[in-house]
Structures are given as structure tokens and as C-alpha cells.
Amino acid sequence: MNSAASASRFLQRWLGADPARAGRLAALAELSLSSLDFGAALELESTASHSGSRLPLGRAMRRLRNLLICAIIERDLAGRADLDEVVTAMSRFADFAVQSHLQELMAEMTAAHGVPIGQDSGRPQQMMVLAMGKHGGGELNVSSDIDLIFVYPEDGDTQAGPGQRSLSNHEFFIRLGKKLIAAIAEITEDGFTFRVDMALRPNGKSGPLACSLNMVEDYLIVQGREWERYAWVKARAVTGDPADIAALDAIVRPFVFRRYLDFGVIDAIRTMHAQIRAEVNRQERLHPERSHNVKLGRGGIREIEFLAQVFQLIRGGRDPALRERSTRKTLRLLAERELLTADTVDRLQEAYTFLRNLEHRLQYLEDAQTHTLPASPEDRQAVARMMGLPHEAALLARLDEQRVFVAAQFDAIFADKTDKAGGDQVDPAATMSDPENSEAIAQQLASLGFDRPQEAAARLVATWQAPRLQTLPEASRNRLGALVNTALAQIAMVVREAGLGSHAATLGRLLDFFEAIARRSAYLSLLTEYPHTLERVIRMINASGWAATFLTQHPILLDELLDDRGRGNGADELAALAASLAGQLDAAAGDTERQLDILREAHHARLFRLLALDLAGELSVERLADHLSALADLIVAEVVQRAWLTIARRHCEVPRFAVIAYGKLGGKELGYVSDLDVIFLFDDEDQDAPGNYAKLAQRFITWMTTHTPAGILFDIDTALRPDGASGMLVSSVGAFERYQRSSAWIWEHQALTRARFCAGDAGIGARFEAIREEVLRQDRSAREAELREEVVKMRKRMHDAHPGDSGSFDLKHDDGGMIDIEFIVQYLVLRHSFEHPQLTANKGNITLLRMFGELGLIDPALAQGAADAYRLMRKLQHQVRLQGQEQARVDPALVASHAGVVVRLWRACFG
């Protein structure tokens, strides 16, 4: 035995009671206890009696428990077992003890009363024993009790035979539960196996010892409290039928994990923590010797558990991986998901390991369920030595260091963020409820620097008196009022710092947003708990009316403003999104409705992050379009793959089907609200292919355009398919090739200049590109006049459909605008690709204009001027659209010189 282990009085007493124990301990201490075969070990204890007779299960289990505790003490204090081995061994042994005793007791009970049968299913019933707390999480202490809940599937009666007395299932499982507790927890000459705590069951100590699934469901729906959500995170079935366990999980999961982001849980855990701390402080005042509680004290184990579990309760409904029961594994997940920094998680893991190791050493002294440093100086010195430290002072210094860090991290999440200062602020509840106070509010807003204080004050009062807000619960109204107070000063600051925007307009947008989320307390909680998020919202909606509308339509995107996740390399971010999206869609296989929402949520979240970068000036219009187009490609590919799996009579597992992108997506110039111009091709000789691929195309459109609670993905336009609206929705590659060679109009060849393979079968994509190049590279020199005439005719048709406004310049449709540039590029590609095949590369209008100039096809100066004009007009169009305007019209003076260059180039090409 090592010298540190000699400090355990429990170990000394156990060894002193029987000289033979030292040898058994030495043998067991050579093994890794986390993977110990408890069945074999129990058999050895059962047959180790001096009398030669076999020990009953209860005695053998208690003896095995004492041997295991001593082996853990020996290995842990000798440095041969880490924390994981200790807690895994204890958790596995607790499972083994419950399972072994329940099996024996179930046999006894059924022999006396018959097998319990479900009244609805007619199936034999088994009791589910749920491990809660650290036992459920696989992180049990060495001297801990175990928190259990007993659940049985259905009510009914036992099927009694001759000599047996029938019981209701309820009574049967209550009796079985009592016997199980006694078997594990009763103190005998051999001690006990585990203390058992049943307080976490529905209705606590006043509730029945065992509950049916229906009783559990009714309780959680009607009476389940916030703290019980925290407790049920750890619930793990140790026994029971897999089908029954799955049914229980289906009941518990929606109670614990909300489908939305549940930031309201922060306040609930804050309140629960305050109650725990108040009780600990009271105990420490009454018993000063019980200070330094490493579990419940400030910066202790419970605060680390709260830190891990708050993210689980907030996000576990949307991220199944976060439903992990282990605190240590959950912390690692938080780092992977960038919810906490890797450094913070490493420090928390270090603190958790230190505190749990210290907790175990406190318990090693007497095998007592204690979490406080001992009162005796000698015992504190012994604990310090067990921790590998020279003296008590060093132990306390290390303990304080860890607890200070944990407390700081806890406060960063759970400190009350509401402004208690009061100050000279508008009081919504008192002031805005009375329209006559509008003048006082206006004066307050004027003092903050608002540009139109009367207008802003009127809007504030009107919003506060709206029925939607008047009928809010008082807690939500108070929280919303506090947010309004905070926002007013922030709006003044943001407008001043940005040098653009209107106070009144920004306030109006913010109030529209507040009205939209007023009944979603989770969003109000998010803005309250993370004040910097409110400031980010204000900055976005001040900069962009479209951003304000988009956020109001999709408030779940608030989560994207919590931190700077997603501000790294675009390709890396897209690859991570692709992997995450595929995993989520796989997990929801068979649930089309949920898959539609997953796609929309992922797309909106990524789009919103790009919007945040855009408004921060970190993306050019061209780079933004690249990101948006790549994102659309990803969504298109996933929708093709997932929609195909919903076709019941598909003739192959991987469709020989491709989506071809035209227009903005084809040219990689996609904007935030662009629709997708696409056509569908297939290359498959199977007789069922045309019908199945037509279904796939229809489902693709449905998946993209259907309005769900999460919105839509994209509007889809298939008008560019062969024969347009009168043509087939899908075409074989062969039919497409024949059409392009012999039947397509010149405007369809114009469209082909911006077309590319988007998603699906890469082989079809390669064939499409070959067809495209062949068609575009036709020699059109003999038909140059016809080509020019057809392009001009099509341009006139578009111009006539969008008459100009003399007071403004339409960036897209007016003479010298973007469509003129696009038509010039398309014409030059069609006219000259025969001699210059490199022009068929889909490189974008600006690059192609430069190439035309370098090849001498047009005046290089005009080429550069047109490229500059196109870049400027795209930027202006983007800015106008960000303000929520449908028509991209600007002051003609902004673009007069650039439009003039484009007109000159047009005349040079078309006369």
C-alpha cells in the first residue's frame, strides 16, 4: 500500500478486519478498474466465505463494493488511475448492482404474483430504472449516493397463476422498487452498496415510488419545472426494454430540449443557483468548519456543471450532439462548436479534474459523502498530501486559483445583465402607456440626439399601446421595456458612429422587430442576457432596411450575432456547413418536414453571417456573390440528393440527373434575394427514368419554394429549359443537345454563355459543358448581321417592358445600364468564340470585357470603362437592395459618366 493511501482511515479499517484482504486488494489494484469484469469479481466474492457456503447476492455485492472502493483509493493515490477511470468504474459498478439486484428481485416477485402485463399492448412489463445526476452522466463519485427514478411502461395487472396473488402493475412495481432500494441501500454487517435517493421522481417525495409512462408524460407536461429539465438532462435508463426506453425518451426529450433556442433557461438556472448558494452560505454560517464546499461553493463543481448544461438546454433541441450526459464530454463539444473558446474549456476541464479529485480525497478519509474540507488541521494536511501538495496552504492556494477562474466564467454567463441603475431613462410601463406623455418622451429622445424626436416618440407610444404588447405577460413586458430603454441610447450611439441612417427610421425598424418577437420570451431573454447582441442588431438594421426585414422574418438568426463564429475562411466555413448540414439531414431521415426546416435554417444562418460581414465592409460585392453562389450550389446538391430518396419507386439509388444553373447563379453573381434560373438534365436509358426524373424535378421545386415555419429557400425559374414553358420539365442530355444545335433561338444561346453545371451527376455536367462549348463556338461570321439584329431586338423587347423614369436611373434596365453590358458581352462571346475559344469560359462579365480588349475585339479603353461601370453599378444596386428597395434606381448624376461609356460601347458593337 502506498503512503498516501495510508491516510484513508476507511481503507485501514477494512484491511485490519481481515488479513486476507490485503492480497485481494493488491491483485485487484493491478487491473484497470474502468473495464473490470464485475460479474467475475462478484462470483469470487460470493464464493470467498470462510464457511465455504455461497454468500447471498446482497452480502457479496457489498463486499465487492468495499473491495472496489479500496482498490480505487490505492490506484488513484498511487497515480495509476486518472479521474476517468475512477468515475467510470463507479458508474459501471452502480449499473451492475442495480441490474443484478433487479434481475433477482424480479424473479422473486413474478414467482409470487405473476408477470405484469400491459393492459393496452398485452406485453410483459419490465421496470426501467433511470440513473440520474452523476450516475446518469457516467461520472459517479466514490462515496456518492445514486439518484434513481423507477418507471414502468403501462398500467394493468399481473398474470397470476395457481398459488399466486395478482397485483396491479402499479402496486407490483412499487413493491419491486422498495425491495430494490433495500437490497442496495440497507446497512448490514457488510455495510451498504449505495445510498439511494429517489427525490428526483415526479412529485418528489410525495409522489409514487414508481410511475407509468403516462404518469411521467402528464407530470412533465403539466407540472414539470425548470430545475427538472436540468435534472432530466442526465437521465439514463440502466434497465428496461429498448422499445420502452425509446418511448420514454420521446416523452422526456421535448420537455428537456426545446425545438427553439431557449435562452430563458439562463435566468432559471441563475435563480436555482442563487437558492443553492443561499443554503450553502446558511450552512457555512451555522457551521464555519464546513466552509470550502468544493461541490456547491463559489466556483465549485456545480458551477462547471451549470456552465455545461446551460448550453445543452439552450441548444440541445437543435443540436442532438449536445444531449450528451457527461459534463467533461459536453465541455469538449462546446469548444468544437465555438460556444466557448478552446482555452476556456481547457481551463474548465483542468478545474473540474482538480475539484473532482479533491472531492474524492475528502471522501477517501472515511468513505463519507462529503464535499467540504475537514475541520481537523491534521486531516487537511493529509488531504493536501493526497493531492500531491506539501501542505494545507498550498492546497488552499490551488483551490482558490481554480475556483476564481470557474466563478469568473460562471458570472460571464449567469450574472444578471439587467440595468438596475435606473437613471434618467424613459420608463415604458409608466410613460408610454399614456399618449399624453409623448412630449416628455420626445424631449428625452431629443436630449439623446434623435433627428426626428416627435416622430420617434409617437412611434414608441403607438407600439407600446398595440394590443400585441398590451396582452403580454408582465415579465415579458418588463423585459421588453428594459430592452427599449437600453436600445434608445444605443441607437443614438450607432447613428453617430456610423455617420449614416436615421434615428427615427432605425427605431421604427427595431420596434417592428420587437413586436415580432414579443411573444417569444426566449428571444427577449437572449437580448437581455447578451447585451452586445442588441447593439449588433441595431448596427445591422441602421445600415440596412432589408437586413431589418430579414431578421424580423427569421428572428432565430439572433443566435448568429452572439459571437464572431463564421468570420473565418469562406471555403473552410462552407465545408464545415456541408458536413454539419449532411449530418442533421441524415438524423432527420424520413421526416421531410423537419428536413425542409433544417435546410432553410442552415441557409438563412449562413446568409445572415455573410450579411453581417457585408455590412461590416469585409466583403466586396463580387466576393459576396461568390459566397452566395457557392452556398446555393450546396443547397441545390443536398435538395437533389434528399428529394430523390423520397421517390418511392426510384429505379436506382444514385440519380443520373443534373441541375444546370443559368442567369445570376450560372454567372456566380447571386444576390441575397435572387431566384435560381435552372434546367434539369438526365442521362439514363431505364424505362422509368423520364417519369422518375420528372418527379424529382417537381419535388426539387417544391422543396425549394414551399413556405414552412422557417421560410423558403429560393424561388425557382425553369423558363430557360428547351421550348420554355411549353417544354418538358426535364430533358435527356441527347434531347438537349439536339435542341441547342437545331432549334434554339439566339437569345437561348445568349443565356448559355452564363450557364454552368451546378449539382448532381458530374458526368452529365461534363457532357453539358462540352455541348455548351460546341454551341457557343459555332462559326457565326456569315450570320453576323442576323446575330446583331436578334440581340438588338431582344434588348428592345426588355427595354420596352421596363419603361424609364426621367427622375432616376434604373441601374439594370436603362440605356447604359447593366443589361446593356451583359448583352454586349453575350454578343461578343457568340460572335468571336469560333476564333477565340477561350471566350466560352464562364469567367464573369468584367473578366470577359478585359479579354475582349486584349484580343482587340473592342477598344481596350471602352472595355475597361464598361468593366468599371459594371462594377460600380453592381455595387450601387447592392446598396439600394440592402435598403429594402425593389427597384434599383439611383440619382442619374451618380452614374452619368459610366453609363455614357457603356452607350458608346453599345454603339460601337451594334451601330
Side-chain angles (χ1 to χ4, degrees):
M1 182 174 62
N2 67 79
S3 58
S6 65
S8 170
R9 292 186 286 273
F10 167 74
L11 175 57
Q12 296 304 315
R13 289 195 300 271
W14 184 80
L15 286 172
D18 184 348
R21 290 176 175 175
R24 286 164 37 220
L25 174 60
L28 188 61
E30 291 300 316
L31 305 175
S32 172
L33 302 176
S34 58
S35 56
L36 184 65
D37 183 344
F38 288 114
L42 181 67
E43 181 64 22
L44 286 175
E45 289 301 315
S46 299
T47 57
S49 170
H50 294 300
S51 65
S53 60
R54 186 179 183 85
L55 289 175
L57 178 61
R59 293 198 65 188
M61 192 69 75
R62 282 160 171 75
R63 292 189 175 197
L64 175 58
R65 182 264 183 193
N66 292 333
L67 173 60
L68 175 65
I69 295 291
C70 291
I72 286 174
I73 294 172
E74 176 68 25
R75 284 182 58 81
D76 186 5
L77 297 183
R80 291 186 287 169
D82 59 10
L83 176 63
D84 185 70
E85 178 177 326
V86 173
V87 298
T88 300
M90 289 306 304
S91 301
R92 286 187 62 241
F93 176 66
D95 290 355
F96 174 74
V98 169
Q99 292 160 356
S100 301
H101 281 294
L102 185 63
Q103 182 179 5
E104 181 179 82
L105 295 169
M106 185 70 175
E108 291 179 11
M109 286 286 291
T110 54
H113 303 287
V115 176
I117 301 295
Q119 63 185 10
D120 296 324
S121 68
R123 292 191 303 115
Q125 305 286 287
Q126 297 181 37
M127 185 161 79
M128 289 171 275
V129 178
L130 305 183
M132 307 292 283
K134 289 187 174 65
H135 181 195
E139 296 172 329
L140 195 61
N141 282 330
V142 288
S143 299
S144 177
D145 57 6
I146 53 176
D147 295 287
L148 302 178
I149 294 177
F150 301 148
V151 180
Y152 60 92
E154 299 175 55
D155 286 315
D157 299 289
T158 62
Q159 200 170 59
Q164 295 177 324
R165 186 165 72 87
S166 180
L167 296 174
S168 69
N169 289 355
H170 186 62
E171 180 62 25
F172 179 93
F173 287 113
I174 286 178
R175 291 189 184 189
L176 179 61
K178 288 179 178 178
K179 288 178 177 289
L180 179 61
I181 293 170
I184 294 173
E186 274 187 359
I187 299 175
T188 70
E189 61 187 295
D190 299 297
F192 59 91
T193 303
F194 286 100
R195 307 171 193 88
V196 175
D197 191 333
M198 300 293 299
L200 292 177
R201 68 185 186 269
N203 287 306
K205 294 178 181 179
S206 63
L209 194 65
C211 298
S212 68
L213 283 175
N214 284 340
M215 293 170 67
V216 172
E217 183 172 24
D218 290 344
Y219 175 80
L220 294 181
I221 291 173
V222 177
Q223 301 183 56
R225 291 157 289 183
E226 283 294 327
W227 71 262
E228 288 177 294
R229 291 178 59 203
Y230 171 88
W232 280 84
V233 168
K234 300 278 192 182
R236 176 174 59 87
V238 175
T239 68
D241 180 270
D244 296 333
I245 294 171
L248 176 63
D249 183 60
I251 292 168
V252 172
R253 190 189 317 116
F255 168 69
V256 177
F257 302 109
R258 308 297 198 236
R259 289 191 68 171
Y260 53 84
L261 293 167
D262 185 11
F263 289 91
V265 76
I266 296 176
D267 190 51
I269 292 183
R270 179 191 296 127
T271 300
M272 180 166 58
H273 175 262
Q275 293 169 346
I276 293 171
R277 288 290 305 128
E279 176 59 20
V280 171
N281 290 338
R282 189 180 72 83
Q283 291 293 332
E284 290 180 349
R285 283 196 304 272
L286 294 174
H287 306 281
E289 72 278 4
R290 295 181 187 174
S291 59
H292 296 297
N293 188 316
V294 300
K295 177 181 179 181
L296 302 178
R298 193 73 173 100
I301 295 166
R302 182 54 51 84
E303 290 192 359
I304 300 176
E305 293 171 341
F306 278 152
L307 276 168
Q309 287 189 283
V310 71
F311 288 103
Q312 292 182 287
L313 292 174
I314 290 172
R315 300 173 182 277
R318 306 179 66 80
D319 186 350
L322 284 174
R323 298 169 194 170
E324 172 61 53
R325 298 179 180 93
S326 161
T327 296
R328 293 166 299 151
K329 291 179 181 177
T330 298
L331 287 171
R332 286 196 290 271
L333 285 169
L334 298 183
E336 290 174 12
R337 280 155 173 72
E338 300 180 12
L339 297 170
L340 290 175
T341 67
D343 180 64
T344 297
V345 168
D346 287 345
R347 290 286 309 278
L348 287 172
Q349 293 275 28
E350 176 190 331
Y352 185 79
T353 300
F354 176 87
L355 293 169
R356 289 297 306 272
N357 282 337
L358 176 56
E359 182 181 44
H360 288 156
R361 281 146 182 77
L362 299 176
Q363 296 170 353
Y364 290 162
L365 289 172
E366 293 283 1
D367 185 26
Q369 187 182 3
T370 182
H371 313 285
T372 59
L373 292 187
S376 160
E378 293 78 16
D379 283 349
R380 291 193 179 203
Q381 182 66 27
V383 170
R385 287 199 304 271
M386 285 192 277
M387 290 293 290
L389 297 168
H391 44 66
E392 178 187 348
L395 172 63
L396 293 176
R398 283 291 307 278
L399 177 58
D400 284 345
E401 175 190 349
Q402 301 293 352
R403 290 171 64 173
V404 165
F405 177 78
V406 172
Q409 300 309 308
F410 182 89
D411 287 345
I413 301 294
F414 291 102
D416 192 345
K417 315 299 194 308
T418 56
D419 184 1
K420 308 292 187 188
D424 187 20
Q425 297 178 315
V426 175
D427 179 359
T431 309
M432 287 186 270
S433 300
D434 185 353
E436 295 183 3
N437 285 328
S438 179
E439 186 59 39
I441 297 174
Q443 291 176 5
Q444 179 68 32
L445 296 178
S447 72
L448 289 171
F450 272 56
D451 51 0
R452 301 197 300 274
Q454 298 287 352
E455 177 185 332
R459 176 61 201 274
L460 260 177
V461 172
T463 298
W464 198 256
Q465 292 180 327
R468 188 180 186 88
L469 269 60
Q470 288 294 309
T471 56
L472 284 178
E474 183 179 359
S476 294
R477 279 173 58 82
N478 290 340
R479 188 173 287 152
L480 187 57
L483 288 172
V484 169
N485 270 331
T486 303
L488 295 177
Q490 288 187 342
I491 289 171
M493 176 191 70
V494 165
V495 172
R496 183 174 63 252
E497 291 180 356
L500 55 85
S502 157
H503 301 86
T506 300
L507 176 61
R509 294 167 183 173
L510 183 65
L511 292 175
D512 287 340
F513 173 65
F514 280 162
E515 284 193 77
I517 66 169
R519 295 196 173 276
R520 301 293 296 273
S521 61
Y523 296 138
L524 299 179
S525 295
L526 184 157
L527 293 169
T528 301
E529 300 295 347
Y530 296 91
H532 69 279
T533 303
L534 177 60
E535 182 182 335
R536 289 183 172 184
V537 168
I538 292 169
R539 289 188 183 281
M540 290 190 77
I541 66 178
N542 177 66
S544 168
W546 182 82
T549 301
F550 189 67
L551 183 59
T552 300
Q553 292 171 341
H554 308 289
I556 194 171
L557 296 172
L558 278 175
D559 182 46
E560 303 301 320
L561 296 177
L562 281 176
D563 50 46
D564 294 323
R565 287 172 289 151
R567 289 181 174 256
N569 178 277
D572 291 345
E573 285 294 318
L574 196 66
L577 173 62
S580 171
L581 180 58
Q584 291 182 64
L585 291 169
D586 288 343
D591 186 348
T592 298
E593 182 179 342
R594 180 64 192 131
Q595 288 183 319
L596 292 179
D597 281 344
I598 288 170
L599 286 161
R600 283 152 177 75
E601 290 160 3
H603 175 252
H604 293 158
R606 177 64 180 159
L607 186 149
F608 195 65
R609 289 191 181 193
L610 292 172
L611 174 62
L613 293 172
D614 179 16
L615 295 177
E618 297 182 31
L619 290 176
S620 66
V621 174
E622 293 80 11
R623 189 75 182 121
L624 172 66
D626 287 343
H627 282 303
L628 291 173
S629 301
L631 175 60
D633 287 353
L634 170 61
I635 297 297
V636 169
E638 281 292 353
V639 170
V640 169
Q641 178 184 345
R642 306 296 169 168
W644 178 247
L645 296 177
T646 68
I647 296 174
R649 297 185 179 180
R650 56 188 183 275
H651 61 283
C652 59
E653 284 308 304
V654 180
R656 297 174 64 182
F657 174 94
V659 178
I660 306 300
Y662 280 72
K664 293 294 185 184
L665 179 59
K668 296 185 179 179
E669 293 184 352
L670 212 61
Y672 290 121
V673 293
S674 300
D675 57 6
L676 304 186
D677 294 291
V678 297
I679 68 167
F680 307 109
L681 300 180
F682 71 92
D683 185 17
D684 193 331
E685 298 301 323
D686 191 285
Q687 63 179 4
D688 294 328
N692 278 340
Y693 293 136
K695 288 180 183 176
L696 175 56
Q698 289 165 345
R699 293 202 182 170
F700 173 89
I701 294 171
T702 299
W703 277 50
M704 286 289 195
T705 60
T706 296
H707 283 266
T708 77
I712 72 165
L713 283 168
F714 297 97
D715 286 322
I716 302 295
D717 190 336
T718 60
L720 291 172
R721 66 186 186 270
D723 290 316
S726 62
M728 301 290 288
L729 186 58
V730 296
S731 302
S732 69
V733 176
F736 176 80
E737 183 175 15
R738 289 190 296 274
Y739 179 84
Q740 291 292 337
R741 284 178 173 173
S742 60
S743 303
W745 297 84
I746 286 177
W747 66 263
E748 290 178 287
H749 287 174
Q750 284 181 250
L752 202 59
T753 64
R754 288 161 63 87
R756 64 181 176 86
F757 167 69
C758 177
D761 188 303
I764 298 176
R767 285 197 60 190
F768 165 78
E769 184 57 30
I771 295 167
R772 174 181 173 276
E773 290 180 350
E774 179 189 340
V775 170
L776 294 181
R777 293 172 184 175
Q778 291 175 5
D779 184 359
R780 294 179 173 85
S781 57
R783 296 181 289 126
E784 181 176 2
E786 178 192 357
L787 173 63
R788 188 183 296 117
E789 181 182 345
E790 287 298 321
V791 172
V792 170
K793 189 185 301 182
M794 176 56 69
R795 176 68 186 99
K796 184 177 186 304
R797 190 178 306 164
M798 292 184 68
H799 191 282
D800 291 344
H802 297 84
D805 175 357
S806 59
S808 62
F809 182 86
D810 188 323
L811 292 166
K812 187 173 181 180
H813 294 287
D814 279 356
D815 291 342
M818 295 167 67
I819 288 182
D820 278 1
I821 298 172
E822 292 168 359
F823 270 52
I824 290 168
V825 170
Q826 293 163 11
Y827 164 73
L828 292 172
V829 168
L830 293 175
R831 172 63 185 84
H832 297 290
S833 290
F834 176 73
E835 303 98 341
H836 305 287
Q838 67 268 35
L839 295 178
T840 60
N842 193 339
K843 292 187 175 180
N845 293 315
I846 291 174
T847 300
L848 286 170
L849 283 165
R850 178 178 53 77
M851 293 171 67
F852 298 148
E854 291 172 350
L855 291 169
L857 303 177
I858 57 176
D859 182 340
L862 283 179
Q864 184 61 53
D868 292 343
Y870 193 71
R871 183 179 288 109
L872 172 66
M873 290 180 191
R874 282 190 66 191
K875 182 177 181 180
L876 290 173
Q877 180 190 50
H878 182 65
Q879 291 172 352
V880 170
R881 293 272 168 82
L882 279 177
Q883 292 309 316
Q885 299 178 30
E886 291 292 327
Q887 300 297 321
R889 293 185 175 276
V890 298
D891 182 344
L894 288 174
V895 293
S897 61
H898 291 85
V901 171
V902 176
V903 169
R904 289 200 299 277
L905 180 58
W906 178 273
R907 289 171 181 164
C909 292
F910 299 106

